[in-house]
Amino acid sequence: MLVFVDSSKHPGWFRGLEVVFGLGAMVLGILVLAFPGVGIASLIILLALGLLFASFRSISFLGLVRLPGGLKVLGVITGILSLVLAVLVVAFPGFGAAGLVVLLSFGLFVYGVNRIVYGYMHRGVADWHRGTVFGVGILAVVLSLIVLVLPGLSLLTLAVILAVVLIFSGAEMALSGVTGVSRFTAAAASTEAKSA
């Protein structure tokens, strides 16, 4: 199996996007936790906007020149799917709060799968970075599944669970942008370069 290792930091434009999108997602998640009394519809819109930030970040992987094609495809597919779900939530608020929460859960579930696969393939970086990516992915998948499997919980509780996912996802995005980890190259090419 082809393993990809760290070769250099992400380009500045991508790191900037990660920081902006990450902080935006965190702020929206925190707003949901800080103002639970504004109404479930407003909370759902805030969560959907946060999911939009995560979606844009995934789609922007397409612009990374050295990123493996498989990860670019994964980023675009999961990003577009999450984007569509978030847009549906914002565009059709009359769909019903319970239905909108389910759509958001699917979107965050898809994002979580993206992070798990990305962390698995991102082997040449520090353990703390892989652990962060894996942790956020697993958290997003598990908590999204809880929302999907236990729809009987109050809508406010479901919104709070999704807000927690959004906050951790945003923190991982911002941290990745600040540290600049990292572009990829084939392991074989890296080994050859070292032996040269």
Side-chain angles (χ1 to χ4, degrees), residues 45-85:
I45 295 298
L46 290 175
L47 290 170
L49 293 175
L51 180 57
L52 283 176
F53 284 127
S55 304
F56 291 143
R57 187 261 195 123
S58 295
I59 294 170
S60 65
F61 284 153
L62 189 61
L64 297 178
V65 176
R66 301 284 296 276
L67 194 70
L71 284 180
K72 286 185 181 182
V73 171
L74 174 70
V76 171
I77 291 174
T78 57
I80 289 175
L81 184 55
S82 295
L83 178 65
V84 168
L85 292 170

Side-chain angles (χ1 to χ4, degrees), residues 7-72:
S7 62
S8 61
K9 291 183 180 296
H10 281 309
W13 66 266
F14 184 79
R15 294 176 64 183
L17 285 180
E18 285 194 307
V19 172
V20 170
F21 291 157
L23 292 177
M26 287 178 66
V27 167
L28 291 168
I30 291 169
L31 286 174
V32 170
L33 296 182
F35 302 103
V38 299
I40 192 65
S42 299
L43 298 180
I44 289 172
I45 295 298
L46 290 175
L47 290 170
L49 293 175
L51 180 57
L52 283 176
F53 284 127
S55 304
F56 291 143
R57 187 261 195 123
S58 295
I59 294 170
S60 65
F61 284 153
L62 189 61
L64 297 178
V65 176
R66 301 284 296 276
L67 194 70
L71 284 180
K72 286 185 181 182

Side-chain angles (χ1 to χ4, degrees), residues 120-136:
Y120 175 76
M121 293 186 70
H122 206 174
R123 297 189 171 193
V125 295
D127 288 342
W128 68 263
H129 179 69
R130 289 190 72 204
T132 301
V133 174
F134 265 127
V136 167

Side-chain angles (χ1 to χ4, degrees), residues 85-102:
L85 292 170
V87 169
L88 285 174
V89 170
V90 174
F92 299 102
F95 185 66
L100 297 178
V101 166
V102 168

Side-chain angles (χ1 to χ4, degrees), residues 98-111:
L100 297 178
V101 166
V102 168
L103 289 177
L104 283 172
S105 300
F106 273 120
L108 289 171
F109 175 82
V110 169
Y111 181 78

